[in-house]
Amino acid sequence: MSSKLWGGRFQKSAEQWVDEFGASISFDQELVLEDLEGSIAHVTMLGTTGILNHEEVVAIKKGLHTLQKKAEENELHYSVEQEDIHLNLEKMLIDIVGPVGGKLHTGRSRNDQVATDMHLFLKRHVKKTIALIISLQNTIIEKSKEHIETIAPGYTHLQRAQPISFAHHLMAYFWMLERDKSRFSESISRIDLSPLGAGALAGTTFPIDRELTANLLGFSDIYQNSIDAVSDRDFIIEFLSNSSMLMTHLSRLAEEIILWSSEEFRFIELDDSFSTGSSIMPQKKNPDMAELIRGKTGRVYGNLIGLLTVMKGLPLAYNKDLQEDKEGMFDTLHTITGSLRIFEGMIRTMNINQDSLNKAVHNDFSNATELADYLVTKGLPFREAHEITGKLVYYCIEHSNFLLDLSLEEMQQASPLIESDVFKVLAPETAVSRRNSQGGTGFEEVRKQIEKAQDILSSLISM
Ligand code: ARG
């Protein structure tokens, strides 16, 4: 005889190691509060609809509240024998309230139960993720405000391209995060659906009220098809996909932070609290946290591909394969929330090395476009201006100097159109400040951009 809650049909028990292989309790215990919440809503509905009588409902609810309290105090002891969080809690309930506890599962299946738990859990945690994104965005704004007029080399192909405002570069990440945030927000409407009452797959013969449980659980609507309700995992895939995109963005910034804090760049210095030393090389200060976030991006992508692969070709409705939806989701959630928190602190505390940035922009050819544009304003076609500037750059390389080191005479040899006003034009400060096309790096535009970003965040607060 089996001691399982579903053991009636079984003549013998599985061996312990087989149970262990099939059990999900080691990880789905993270759903404990959602599972209890779902059960409380379900039993309330069983009472309202007259499926259970008042005394039964009171007894079961009392037991569930006891379990809630114990869960909050971390006092529940789970067993592999009871397989998953649902059966563990049901067994505990029966142990507390007696056989009446066995009535809780009337008109319900673990299939709609687990789906409900996942919806509740994800809805809650996507909201928390959004709050963490906002906090990082705020920090990016604050850092940017301090560095609107800090000039840095801007890159294409990782080659010095044109000088930019350092704030402009940082703010690019604000907008990436803004898109991440809107993806997470928009996904909520698809998470915010109640599968509860779908039963195993086909609904139930009991006169349940799905709208009522949906309401009690704070869902905006219910799944219209019971088969879809128990087998849909799109909302988790979407979460993993949105998380992957977020991690892509964080990983790009991580890579820049790693580059910038290297001896070769020295553009920033990370605070000691976000760096580590080497066990052998005493001089080292490693950007470990940034590297780790870059590395962790891999596991988030892996979780996305993992679940897509689980779902591919899976027949309707519930299959045990679906138990594989959980670990990747929990792991992704922990990874993105950890990464967002680390990033917020790392950006807030990092030092921008203005001297190095200044040196960098004064010792390169990133003002070459200025010279070409200058010649265009003197009437030359851009192609010719480009050619002349290129020749002057080559001349500088031959003489180991930069455009601003040339004398007016040397420049005029390349083109008689060049006059003494060229020196001001070539100064990196001028190059940046004049780029005031919309969304450009000109100081005025960057100020406007930051204001707009602040407006977006403050409109969220007032919502
Ligand atoms: N532990 C299971 C899961 O996570 C719960 C649902 C089990 N349903 C079933 N019919 N075996 O998917």
Side-chain angles (χ1 to χ4, degrees), residues 24 28 83-84 86 109-111 114 233 318-320 322-323 325-326:
S24 53
D28 68 10
E83 205 176 310
D84 58 24
H86 324 294
S109 150
R110 271 187 297 158
N111 298 350
V114 69
R233 295 296 183 273
Y318 179 86
N319 298 270
K320 183 78 165 178
L322 291 176
Q323 184 165 290
D325 63 356
K326 290 177 195 59

Side-chain angles (χ1 to χ4, degrees), residues 23-26 29 76-85 87-88 91-92:
S24 53
I25 188 62
S26 64
Q29 51 185 275
L76 294 180
H77 305 290
Y78 303 109
S79 84
V80 165
E81 211 197 345
Q82 296 308 330
E83 205 176 310
D84 58 24
I85 187 64
L87 296 177
N88 265 274
K91 173 82 170 40
M92 290 175 197

Side-chain angles (χ1 to χ4, degrees), residues 150-170 172-173 256 259-260 265 267 356-370 428-429 431-432 435 440-443:
T150 301
I151 298 174
Y155 293 83
T156 64
H157 312 268
L158 204 57
Q159 306 282 330
R160 301 270 179 90
Q162 289 170 347
I164 53 170
S165 147
F166 188 76
H168 193 48
H169 191 118
L170 269 189
Y173 287 97
E256 301 211 285
L259 280 175
W260 291 343
F265 280 78
F267 289 175
S356 299
L357 286 169
N358 204 36
K359 241 187 236 145
V361 287
H362 282 96
N363 290 293
D364 67 14
F365 292 103
S366 58
N367 52 0
T369 315
E370 300 332 292
E429 296 74 17
V432 177
R435 281 204 160 63
T441 198
F443 304 133

Side-chain angles (χ1 to χ4, degrees), residues 176-195:
M176 295 181 217
L177 291 168
E178 187 57 26
R179 292 193 293 276
D180 290 324
K181 201 174 66 190
S182 69
R183 267 185 287 272
F184 279 115
S185 308
E186 285 156 18
S187 75
I188 290 179
S189 68
R190 285 173 292 278
I191 304 174
D192 197 13
L193 287 181
S194 176

Side-chain angles (χ1 to χ4, degrees), residues 413-455:
Q413 266 168 27
S415 166
L417 292 173
I418 300 178
E419 292 169 81
S420 63
D421 58 346
V422 74
F423 294 105
K424 180 152 195 295
V425 171
L426 288 183
E429 296 74 17
T430 320
V432 177
S433 67
R434 291 180 60 214
R435 281 204 160 63
N436 276 319
S437 53
Q438 283 175 324
T441 198
F443 304 133
E444 283 321 304
E445 274 305 302
V446 174
R447 270 193 195 96
K448 278 192 216 155
Q449 183 189 157
I450 293 177
E451 267 165 38
K452 190 155 228 166
Q454 276 177 315
D455 286 350

